[in-house]
Amino acid sequence: MKLELVDVTVGYGRSTVVHGATVEVEDDSVVAVMGHNGAGKTTLLRAAAGLLRPGSGRVLMDGEDVTRLRPNERVKRGLAYVPQGQQSFPQLTAEDNLRLVADTRKDGKRLVAEALDVFPALVPVLGRRAGLLSGGQRQQLAIARALITQPRLLVLDEPTEGIQPSVVAEIEETIRTLSATGGLSVLLVEQHIGFALNTADRYYVLEAGRITATGAGGSGALDGVRAAMAI
């Protein structure tokens, strides 16, 4: 799926957080948005997911203007949003967390099995309450739940926050593999610059609500990103 955020201005009430941002995610590509805390990254993702309505600008999914569509309508068109914080139902087991989503799908059992193929580290902890899992396991669980909906666009907010390096590497590899196999585009917000550039085909730097730099991903872009973020 192709996603386009075109000249999007959005915020909360009378407070504007993002000012005229344009971000494009091509079919089967990974795009990272980076920036300091408070730059407006999560606000931009919430506009993409339909949780916030832009004051101006447009949101397009495969060329269709979805700016005024509710989040559930965007989900029906293939969008899955994984918010920041490894969210789950902590009192339920990991398996029950997956089944809650799978029960809404026609072939839920198969979809759970496929999600576990993507994150095999979850298999030994399926019977454990989600609230007792490590941060990395909860993040894998959150992404696995999203994959059960068979998205064509996966929106991830800070997928490496508070996660040990070995799991960060696993999530990086998983995102690249899912995109490379076709049928899935990824838009992610990330402060871990190395992870973002290694994962993304293209990056954007957002500072004070404005896009200040963009370019191709890869380790060669590191110096340019650091300069744009003044770090």
Side-chain angles (χ1 to χ4, degrees):
M1 174 183 289
K2 181 175 182 178
L3 172 71
E4 298 169 88
L5 303 171
V6 184
D7 292 329
V8 168
T9 294
V10 63
Y12 304 89
R14 296 183 179 181
S15 176
T16 299
V17 177
V18 176
H19 307 266
T22 293
V23 172
E24 293 187 10
V25 184
E26 297 292 341
D27 283 322
D28 305 337
S29 71
V30 181
V31 169
V33 178
M34 293 174 284
H36 296 294
N37 284 334
K41 304 184 301 299
T42 292
T43 301
L44 187 65
L45 289 197
R46 289 172 63 84
L51 298 169
L52 291 174
R53 181 174 292 182
S56 62
R58 297 184 299 157
V59 180
L60 307 176
M61 296 171 62
D62 280 341
E64 178 188 1
D65 191 333
V66 299
T67 310
R68 296 186 174 277
L69 292 188
R70 297 177 182 273
N72 65 305
E73 295 171 316
R74 301 188 196 195
V75 170
K76 290 178 181 178
R77 285 163 171 76
L79 183 148
Y81 175 51
V82 180
Q84 186 178 10
Q86 305 116 31
Q87 294 189 11
S88 62
F89 295 98
Q91 297 304 317
L92 299 181
T93 66
E95 184 173 11
D96 286 341
N97 268 269
L98 297 176
R99 284 181 173 175
L100 276 177
V101 181
D103 286 348
T104 67
R105 315 298 293 184
K106 183 177 181 181
D107 198 3
K109 187 175 180 179
R110 175 183 61 83
L111 295 172
V112 169
E114 290 179 353
L116 292 174
D117 284 341
V118 174
F119 293 112
L122 291 175
V123 175
V125 298
L126 285 176
R128 189 177 302 171
R129 284 192 298 173
L132 300 178
L133 300 180
S134 69
Q137 290 167 335
R138 288 196 303 273
Q139 187 62 276
Q140 290 176 319
L141 179 62
I143 298 174
R145 289 175 57 201
L147 293 177
I148 290 173
T149 68
Q150 297 180 287
R152 295 189 296 128
L153 172 66
L154 183 61
V155 179
L156 303 173
D157 192 355
E158 300 282 6
T160 72
E161 182 184 39
I163 296 177
Q164 64 192 59
S166 61
V167 179
V168 169
E170 290 177 16
I171 292 176
E172 177 184 319
E173 182 178 356
T174 297
I175 292 173
R176 291 301 309 170
T177 299
L178 289 170
S179 176
T181 55
L184 182 67
S185 304
V186 180
L187 172 64
L188 63 92
V189 151
E190 186 56 63
Q191 290 197 60
H192 189 309
I193 297 176
F195 169 86
L197 293 179
N198 288 337
T199 306
D201 299 296
R202 188 164 192 84
Y203 72 86
Y204 293 83
V205 174
L206 187 68
E207 289 297 316
R210 291 179 169 82
I211 300 296
T212 58
T214 183
S219 57
L222 184 59
D223 289 342
V225 171
R226 283 177 170 168
M229 294 178 63
I231 59 175

